[in-house]
Amino acid sequence: MEAHLMEWANLLVRWIHLIVGIAWIGASFYFNWLENNLERTGKPAGIAGNLWAVHGGGFYFVEKYAVAPPQLPETLHWFKWEAYFTWISGFTLLIIVYYLNAQTMMVNPAVAALQPWQAVAIGIATLVAAWLVYDGLCRWLGERPRLLAALITVLIVLLAWGLSTVFSGRAAYIHVGAAIGTCMVANVFFVIIPSQKELVRAMEEGRSPDPRYGKNGLLRSRHNNYLTLPVLFIMISNHFPGTYAAAWNWAILAAVSIISVAVRHYFNIRHRPGAAKQFILPASALAFAAVVAVLSPPVRSMLTGGGTGGTVGEVSFEQVHTIIDERCTTCHAPEPSFSGYASPPAGIVLETAAQIRKHRADIKRVAVDSHYMPLGNITGITDEERAALGAWIERNKE
């Protein structure tokens, strides 16, 4: 019963996280699009720009004030709860999926010898430290945005590398995403909304609003805009062990994150006259193709000096069945015996010969090409057993 409730809690919180995340990302993309597409020439004093748009059968006219309007409107809409609930639901999901199952989802004995509580403590500390370091850099280098962006990129790469040395690949990826997401939400909570409140307060008190607050809020908003695509990649990567379970998983994450930031930059500047933008998308596509090529089995085999375990002799199906029965079917059974699972992961059952043959490509992908399964190697599969599985699958492709 407990496993059944946890599975549905996972689904419900994941669903909520997706809904509020879409709302937050949609608002962020829209307002950054507005900022990048405002008509800024020939405007009256106090107006930074305006824009006409048509959508849903109607015309819209939007104006942005350089600092603030002459007087506050009766109704002023704020955009913050989408961000807050995205983080709350995301952290709740982190607890359900990772922290309550740290032994299997976070700890990998082949990477580092951690107790579950230590892994959880490192995970939470990572979120706090990421914000403190990032916020400190922003306050120090806010007037030098390019240098700031370069340092943030370096820190994300170092974070990915560092976490990959203590966590399982999947946990490392998700904590990089959680750290970035924490910084994004903290930007809203500690900088963007307080800056906007200060502008409103100044108007209510009859003071001239300080333009620095708007500038600070815009800087953090732009960071959130650029960091969105790397976070989205991390969110969907947990379905693809070829990324987080690869030998150089941190480098893959760094490369794809930089590529996605470049793509986001293109869409931010594509309507800007004179901007050097025509090569961004082709260069990003080529870079992504290079990542895919490096991860291909022939190249990966060449770089690593061969497959797992070296040359393997003839392997019978009986040997394969024994390995899978001992190492895999505690989870991949109609009614899993492993604690925390109410149903087999991904719906894959590996009890019969027909089921094993049907899913042999999946087995190779997660247990041979990568060492993602079993989770945290909780059942103690050996390199020799992985090599045996790979040899049998290779000789029984058809």
Side-chain angles (χ1 to χ4, degrees), residues 11 17 23 40 74 104 113 118 121 146 149 184-185 201 251 254 281 285 289 303 324 335 393 398:
L11 174 59
H17 186 55
R40 300 179 184 276
E74 189 172 322
T104 54
Q118 293 173 317
R146 291 187 178 182
M184 293 169 67
V185 174
R201 189 180 303 113
L281 288 186
L303 293 175
I324 290 176
E335 295 183 5
I393 294 168
E398 301 301 329

Side-chain angles (χ1 to χ4, degrees), residues 124 201 203 252 303 386:
I124 294 174
R201 189 180 303 113
M203 294 190 64
I252 296 167
L303 293 175
R386 293 185 193 276

Side-chain angles (χ1 to χ4, degrees), residues 26-220:
S28 172
F29 277 17
Y30 176 66
F31 279 103
N32 274 274
W33 179 87
L34 280 180
E35 181 66 28
N36 290 323
N37 288 273
L38 290 172
E39 176 57 52
R40 300 179 184 276
T41 59
K43 303 303 168 212
I47 300 296
N50 58 26
L51 178 143
W52 282 94
V54 59
H55 181 75
F59 291 92
Y60 295 82
F61 179 71
V62 179
E63 277 188 329
K64 179 186 177 181
Y65 288 86
V67 179
Q71 62 182 38
L72 282 175
E74 189 172 322
T75 302
L76 186 62
H77 297 281
W78 296 73
F79 294 83
K80 55 183 179 179
W81 293 109
E82 302 93 336
Y84 299 162
F85 279 109
T86 297
W87 190 88
I88 291 169
S89 59
F91 188 71
T92 304
L93 199 58
L94 197 63
I95 294 171
I96 293 172
V97 177
Y98 290 89
Y99 294 168
L100 294 181
N101 300 284
Q103 183 62 53
T104 54
M105 297 299 296
M106 299 180 69
V107 176
N108 185 345
V111 176
L114 291 177
Q115 294 298 316
W117 71 266
Q118 293 173 317
V120 173
I122 292 172
I124 294 174
T126 296
L127 307 188
V128 176
W131 164 247
L132 293 176
V133 173
Y134 163 77
D135 184 57
L137 283 174
C138 287
R139 294 178 186 279
W140 178 38
L141 296 172
E143 298 298 325
R144 304 177 67 183
R146 291 187 178 182
L147 177 59
L148 175 59
L151 286 177
I152 291 171
T153 301
V154 170
L155 287 174
I156 291 174
V157 173
L158 289 175
L159 179 63
W161 171 80
L163 290 178
S164 72
T165 66
V166 293
F167 288 161
S168 68
R170 187 174 174 182
Y173 266 44
I174 208 67
H175 277 83
V176 173
I180 296 173
T182 296
C183 291
M184 293 169 67
V185 174
N187 275 340
V188 177
F189 186 80
F190 290 113
V191 180
I192 297 173
I193 293 300
S195 295
Q196 292 171 177
K197 286 184 175 180
E198 172 56 30
L199 294 174
V200 170
R201 189 180 303 113
M203 294 190 64
E204 290 175 338
E205 296 172 356
R207 295 184 283 112
S208 295
D210 188 339
R212 289 181 304 168
Y213 289 99
K215 186 177 179 180
N216 290 339
L218 180 59
L219 174 68
R220 302 299 182 101

